[in-house]
mmCIF file of all heavy atoms in Angstrom:
data_model
loop_
_atom_site.group_PDB
_atom_site.id
_atom_site.type_symbol
_atom_site.label_atom_id
_atom_site.label_comp_id
_atom_site.label_asym_id
_atom_site.label_seq_id
_atom_site.Cartn_x
_atom_site.Cartn_y
_atom_site.Cartn_z
ATOM 1 N N ALA A 47 114.460 93.362 107.844
ATOM 2 C CA ALA A 47 114.466 93.642 109.336
ATOM 3 C C ALA A 47 114.911 92.329 110.004
ATOM 4 O O ALA A 47 115.791 92.570 110.961
ATOM 5 C CB ALA A 47 113.014 94.123 109.802
ATOM 6 N N PHE A 48 114.562 91.197 109.586
ATOM 7 C CA PHE A 48 114.957 89.985 110.085
ATOM 8 C C PHE A 48 116.463 89.960 110.048
ATOM 9 O O PHE A 48 117.175 89.417 111.075
ATOM 10 C CB PHE A 48 114.228 88.805 109.524
ATOM 11 C CG PHE A 48 114.958 87.510 109.866
ATOM 12 C CD1 PHE A 48 114.918 87.000 111.104
ATOM 13 C CD2 PHE A 48 115.561 86.761 108.868
ATOM 14 C CE1 PHE A 48 115.477 85.719 111.446
ATOM 15 C CE2 PHE A 48 116.086 85.505 109.116
ATOM 16 C CZ PHE A 48 116.098 85.014 110.407
ATOM 17 N N VAL A 49 117.012 90.090 108.951
ATOM 18 C CA VAL A 49 118.454 90.061 108.657
ATOM 19 C C VAL A 49 119.254 91.001 109.633
ATOM 20 O O VAL A 49 120.339 90.742 110.046
ATOM 21 C CB VAL A 49 118.839 90.334 107.161
ATOM 22 C CG1 VAL A 49 120.228 90.616 106.977
ATOM 23 C CG2 VAL A 49 118.283 89.320 106.268
ATOM 24 N N LYS A 50 118.552 92.172 110.002
ATOM 25 C CA LYS A 50 119.121 93.061 110.833
ATOM 26 C C LYS A 50 118.856 92.669 112.377
ATOM 27 O O LYS A 50 119.116 93.499 113.293
ATOM 28 C CB LYS A 50 118.723 94.554 110.675
ATOM 29 C CG LYS A 50 119.036 95.110 109.330
ATOM 30 C CD LYS A 50 118.296 96.480 109.095
ATOM 31 C CE LYS A 50 118.600 96.971 107.646
ATOM 32 N NZ LYS A 50 117.910 98.156 107.489
ATOM 33 N N GLN A 51 118.290 91.543 112.580
ATOM 34 C CA GLN A 51 117.924 91.108 113.873
ATOM 35 C C GLN A 51 116.856 91.900 114.578
ATOM 36 O O GLN A 51 116.914 92.119 115.782
ATOM 37 C CB GLN A 51 119.093 90.800 114.672
ATOM 38 C CG GLN A 51 120.146 89.875 114.087
ATOM 39 C CD GLN A 51 121.311 89.617 114.900
ATOM 40 O OE1 GLN A 51 121.712 90.399 115.657
ATOM 41 N NE2 GLN A 51 121.957 88.396 114.712
ATOM 42 N N GLN A 52 116.022 92.521 113.869
ATOM 43 C CA GLN A 52 114.881 93.199 114.439
ATOM 44 C C GLN A 52 113.737 92.367 114.416
ATOM 45 O O GLN A 52 113.376 91.700 113.438
ATOM 46 C CB GLN A 52 114.643 94.554 113.660
ATOM 47 C CG GLN A 52 115.843 95.505 113.586
ATOM 48 C CD GLN A 52 115.477 96.734 112.781
ATOM 49 O OE1 GLN A 52 114.865 96.590 111.626
ATOM 50 N NE2 GLN A 52 115.976 97.879 113.118
ATOM 51 N N TRP A 53 112.878 92.460 115.589
ATOM 52 C CA TRP A 53 111.677 91.719 115.576
ATOM 53 C C TRP A 53 110.520 92.568 115.009
ATOM 54 O O TRP A 53 110.411 93.659 115.328
ATOM 55 C CB TRP A 53 111.405 91.261 117.024
ATOM 56 C CG TRP A 53 112.346 90.213 117.497
ATOM 57 C CD1 TRP A 53 113.664 90.230 117.463
ATOM 58 C CD2 TRP A 53 111.866 88.797 117.864
ATOM 59 N NE1 TRP A 53 114.148 88.937 117.797
ATOM 60 C CE2 TRP A 53 113.166 88.128 118.132
ATOM 61 C CE3 TRP A 53 110.746 88.280 118.019
ATOM 62 C CZ2 TRP A 53 113.051 86.767 118.599
ATOM 63 C CZ3 TRP A 53 110.692 86.912 118.508
ATOM 64 C CH2 TRP A 53 111.891 86.271 118.663
ATOM 65 N N VAL A 54 109.672 91.882 114.152
ATOM 66 C CA VAL A 54 108.697 92.656 113.467
ATOM 67 C C VAL A 54 107.273 92.120 113.718
ATOM 68 O O VAL A 54 107.045 90.857 113.913
ATOM 69 C CB VAL A 54 108.929 92.360 111.874
ATOM 70 C CG1 VAL A 54 107.858 93.107 111.025
ATOM 71 C CG2 VAL A 54 110.291 93.021 111.523
ATOM 72 N N TYR A 55 106.341 93.031 113.734
ATOM 73 C CA TYR A 55 104.896 92.733 113.818
ATOM 74 C C TYR A 55 104.302 93.220 112.528
ATOM 75 O O TYR A 55 104.325 94.368 112.191
ATOM 76 C CB TYR A 55 104.235 93.328 114.999
ATOM 77 C CG TYR A 55 102.801 92.908 115.050
ATOM 78 C CD1 TYR A 55 102.343 91.584 115.388
ATOM 79 C CD2 TYR A 55 101.659 93.786 114.917
ATOM 80 C CE1 TYR A 55 101.056 91.222 115.423
ATOM 81 C CE2 TYR A 55 100.438 93.470 114.976
ATOM 82 C CZ TYR A 55 100.108 92.160 115.229
ATOM 83 O OH TYR A 55 98.697 91.873 115.321
ATOM 84 N N ILE A 56 103.670 92.309 111.656
ATOM 85 C CA ILE A 56 102.876 92.799 110.463
ATOM 86 C C ILE A 56 101.454 92.862 110.951
ATOM 87 O O ILE A 56 100.845 91.810 111.166
ATOM 88 C CB ILE A 56 103.117 91.838 109.281
ATOM 89 C CG1 ILE A 56 104.605 91.779 109.005
ATOM 90 C CG2 ILE A 56 102.307 92.302 108.050
ATOM 91 C CD1 ILE A 56 105.011 90.835 107.871
ATOM 92 N N HIS A 57 100.782 93.995 110.860
ATOM 93 C CA HIS A 57 99.415 94.175 111.299
ATOM 94 C C HIS A 57 98.671 94.300 110.008
ATOM 95 O O HIS A 57 98.812 95.076 109.123
ATOM 96 C CB HIS A 57 99.342 95.548 112.064
ATOM 97 C CG HIS A 57 97.911 95.769 112.415
ATOM 98 N ND1 HIS A 57 97.259 94.893 113.368
ATOM 99 C CD2 HIS A 57 97.006 96.709 112.203
ATOM 100 C CE1 HIS A 57 95.981 95.292 113.516
ATOM 101 N NE2 HIS A 57 95.852 96.351 112.870
ATOM 102 N N CYS A 58 97.672 93.272 109.867
ATOM 103 C CA CYS A 58 96.846 93.152 108.753
ATOM 104 C C CYS A 58 95.392 93.649 108.945
ATOM 105 O O CYS A 58 94.979 93.786 110.112
ATOM 106 C CB CYS A 58 96.777 91.697 108.308
ATOM 107 S SG CYS A 58 98.379 91.012 107.752
ATOM 108 N N GLN A 59 94.648 93.834 107.930
ATOM 109 C CA GLN A 59 93.379 94.375 108.026
ATOM 110 C C GLN A 59 92.371 93.338 108.595
ATOM 111 O O GLN A 59 91.507 93.501 109.431
ATOM 112 C CB GLN A 59 92.840 94.776 106.602
ATOM 113 C CG GLN A 59 91.456 95.231 106.534
ATOM 114 C CD GLN A 59 91.198 96.562 107.342
ATOM 115 O OE1 GLN A 59 92.218 97.331 107.513
ATOM 116 N NE2 GLN A 59 89.950 96.832 107.779
ATOM 117 N N ASP A 60 92.648 92.084 108.166
ATOM 118 C CA ASP A 60 91.688 90.906 108.590
ATOM 119 C C ASP A 60 92.377 89.703 108.565
ATOM 120 O O ASP A 60 93.561 89.483 108.116
ATOM 121 C CB ASP A 60 90.432 90.951 107.790
ATOM 122 C CG ASP A 60 90.708 90.830 106.329
ATOM 123 O OD1 ASP A 60 91.753 90.286 105.872
ATOM 124 O OD2 ASP A 60 89.816 91.377 105.477
ATOM 125 N N LYS A 61 91.642 88.625 109.040
ATOM 126 C CA LYS A 61 92.248 87.231 109.009
ATOM 127 C C LYS A 61 92.677 86.760 107.711
ATOM 128 O O LYS A 61 93.662 86.141 107.564
ATOM 129 C CB LYS A 61 91.220 86.312 109.662
ATOM 130 C CG LYS A 61 91.667 84.842 109.838
ATOM 131 C CD LYS A 61 90.541 83.980 110.406
ATOM 132 C CE LYS A 61 91.117 82.597 110.566
ATOM 133 N NZ LYS A 61 90.009 81.796 111.328
ATOM 134 N N GLN A 62 91.914 87.098 106.622
ATOM 135 C CA GLN A 62 92.321 86.590 105.183
ATOM 136 C C GLN A 62 93.497 87.125 104.890
ATOM 137 O O GLN A 62 94.491 86.528 104.376
ATOM 138 C CB GLN A 62 91.109 86.915 104.254
ATOM 139 C CG GLN A 62 91.417 86.629 102.863
ATOM 140 C CD GLN A 62 90.363 87.047 101.901
ATOM 141 O OE1 GLN A 62 89.285 87.760 102.250
ATOM 142 N NE2 GLN A 62 90.603 86.879 100.563
#
Side-chain angles (χ1 to χ4, degrees):
F48 165 68
V49 168
K50 295 177 185 174
Q51 299 182 337
Q52 295 176 323
W53 285 59
V54 177
Y55 181 70
I56 301 175
H57 181 63
C58 297
Q59 179 66 23
D60 54 31
K61 183 177 180 178
Q62 179 184 358

